Amino acid sequence: MTVSFDDSGQLLDQVNQALASNTPLRIHGGSSKSFLGREVQGTPLDTRAHRGIVTYDPTELVISVRAGTPLAELEAALDEANQMLPCEPPHLGEGATVGGMIATGLSGPRRPWSGSVRDFVLGSRVITGHGKHLRFGGEVMKNVAGYDLSRLMAGSFGCLGLLTEVSLKVLPKPRLSRSLRVDMPVDRALLKLAEWGQQPVPITAASHDGQALHLRLEGGEGSVNAACDRIGGETLDADYWNQLREQRLSFFSDARSLWRLSLPTNTGELALPGEQLIDWAGAQRWLKSDADAEAIRAVVSEVGGHATCFTAGAAANPFQPLAEPLLRYHRQLKAALDPQGIFNPGRMYSEV
């Protein structure tokens, strides 16, 4: 049984009190991803009391849910209807909330084939830095009013406003899912993935752990079985993808700093010190390394990517520093939506 409680009035009061006293707020839910970004100095604002599914019609493939709702509760409701969040957002700990999912914008192994968290946001309710509780977007896929502003909340780390509710597009689960493990070196795996990307191969996850290529194929029975026969390899436990998504593989237990590298499609091997795990068919790579942040980012930037540090305190600037034009846009956006700068100040960049 789901628990539902509308605490939006209390949240609005807290924001207005902070505005009146010019007091910064540190927004949080379950804090499962609090290690990401820079430390925020401010009065804690806990969203977890504002929870529950507001509306859900499986036939419309749309669900509206309050930000403090446990992510596991949302996924359980979708599972009952044989539906899912296509972006496979990671929890990264107990207590993960829907608000945290939107704020961090993190997606799981399915991301290159289904889309990101941002792609499935249809509308939202947000308490702004002007002390107003506003609705943006809508609850149907055809509604585009305010669409972009709702999507801005995804990956904003709570710096633009206090998300209270979000409407999401969901999808049916695939009819058949099979996972394979194929022994092949990294260079050959990257070439094969680039080749398969130009063909109708029903891949929905692709990872390489340094020893073997791991694939998930989903869709109709005929196409999935035909692809498995073509590729070969051995059956892989489907739980591998959950272990990868939640960073529970042995790779992530290494004491060295963890970096997330976001790269252009079809990028080859990177000459970086440390150990790498390939995800998203090569577009996302996890790096365990003691190398200097500038050295890592120099290599990644040379191929058109960026690097984020996932280990708290290991880098002075966890997120890739912004070029001056982009930083200017961030500042202008922050000033428009949060003129007093009370929402998670400095969480992403010290200048914002």
Side-chain angles (χ1 to χ4, degrees):
M1 179 178 179
T2 60
V3 176
S4 183
F5 186 72
D6 184 349
D7 195 43
S8 58
Q10 177 64 28
L11 293 175
L12 182 58
D13 286 344
Q14 287 180 261
V15 170
N16 278 318
Q17 289 171 16
L19 288 170
S21 60
N22 201 31
T23 302
L25 294 172
R26 179 173 61 83
I27 303 168
H28 71 92
S31 296
S32 65
K33 304 173 187 70
S34 60
F35 62 90
L36 284 169
R38 304 174 71 254
E39 186 176 354
V40 175
Q41 301 296 328
T43 301
L45 190 156
D46 192 337
T47 64
R48 288 174 293 178
H50 185 64
R51 60 182 291 176
I53 294 172
V54 181
T55 58
Y56 178 34
D57 184 352
T59 62
E60 294 293 333
L61 299 175
V62 173
I63 189 166
S64 295
V65 60
R66 297 187 180 109
T69 307
L71 183 52
E73 187 175 298
L74 169 59
E75 291 173 331
L78 295 175
D79 189 60
E80 287 184 7
N82 200 35
Q83 294 181 349
M84 65 179 184
L85 294 169
C87 49
E88 290 185 300
H91 294 224
L92 299 182
E94 295 183 4
T97 63
V98 172
M101 172 191 78
I102 300 296
T104 58
L106 299 177
S107 300
R110 198 186 305 273
R111 160 68 174 87
W113 297 273
S114 67
S116 66
V117 171
R118 178 180 286 106
D119 296 320
F120 294 93
V121 174
L122 297 173
S124 63
R125 295 195 72 194
V126 179
I127 297 176
T128 71
H130 299 277
K132 304 294 184 182
H133 196 186
L134 304 178
R135 184 183 297 277
F136 302 102
E139 297 179 356
V140 294
M141 284 176 272
K142 293 181 181 178
N143 191 311
V144 295
Y147 203 61
D148 289 340
L149 191 50
S150 289
R151 289 185 169 191
L152 277 176
M153 301 304 293
S156 67
F157 281 83
C159 295
L160 298 180
L162 176 59
L163 179 74
T164 63
E165 184 181 315
V166 64
S167 296
L168 299 162
K169 175 184 175 182
V170 299
L171 290 179
K173 290 186 175 181
R175 285 173 288 173
L176 178 65
S177 179
R178 291 182 62 183
S179 295
L180 300 174
R181 181 185 187 278
V182 186
D183 287 315
M184 66 171 65
V186 174
D187 56 349
R188 183 163 181 267
L190 290 173
L191 289 174
K192 293 300 292 184
L193 288 168
E195 175 187 327
W196 293 330
Q198 304 299 315
Q199 301 171 1
V201 182
I203 296 173
T204 61
S207 167
H208 197 290
D209 62 2
Q211 301 296 322
L213 175 64
H214 302 76
L215 296 170
R216 182 175 62 195
L217 300 107
E218 294 179 324
E221 183 176 346
S223 61
V224 170
N225 288 334
C228 289
D229 291 341
R230 171 187 170 186
I231 294 170
E234 58 189 46
T235 299
L236 172 69
D237 186 341
D239 191 53
Y240 171 85
W241 304 109
N242 183 57
Q243 297 294 315
L244 171 60
R245 179 184 74 163
E246 299 301 335
Q247 298 184 5
R248 293 176 185 154
L249 297 174
S250 59
F251 171 88
F252 295 102
S253 63
D254 191 301
R256 291 170 294 180
S257 297
L258 177 66
W259 289 82
R260 173 182 179 265
L261 314 181
S262 299
L263 306 168
T265 303
N266 300 335
T267 300
E269 291 185 79
L270 295 181
L272 284 167
E275 185 181 354
Q276 295 180 46
L277 187 152
I278 290 175
D279 195 4
W280 294 5
Q284 174 171 270
R285 308 197 191 173
W286 297 101
L287 170 69
K288 297 292 295 190
S289 177
D290 291 327
D292 180 81
E294 290 187 7
I296 293 173
R297 285 180 169 141
V299 173
V300 175
S301 297
E302 190 173 337
V303 297
H306 62 268
T308 302
C309 185
F310 264 58
T311 300
N317 297 300
F319 296 103
Q320 181 93 10
L322 297 175
E324 182 55 39
L326 287 176
L327 181 58
R328 184 169 64 252
Y329 292 142
H330 274 248
R331 283 171 168 161
Q332 291 172 349
L333 187 59
K334 176 77 168 175
L337 298 178
D338 180 21
Q340 290 182 227
I342 67 165
F343 295 124
N344 283 0
R347 175 73 184 271
M348 298 186 74
Y349 306 102
S350 60
E351 304 93 336
V352 181

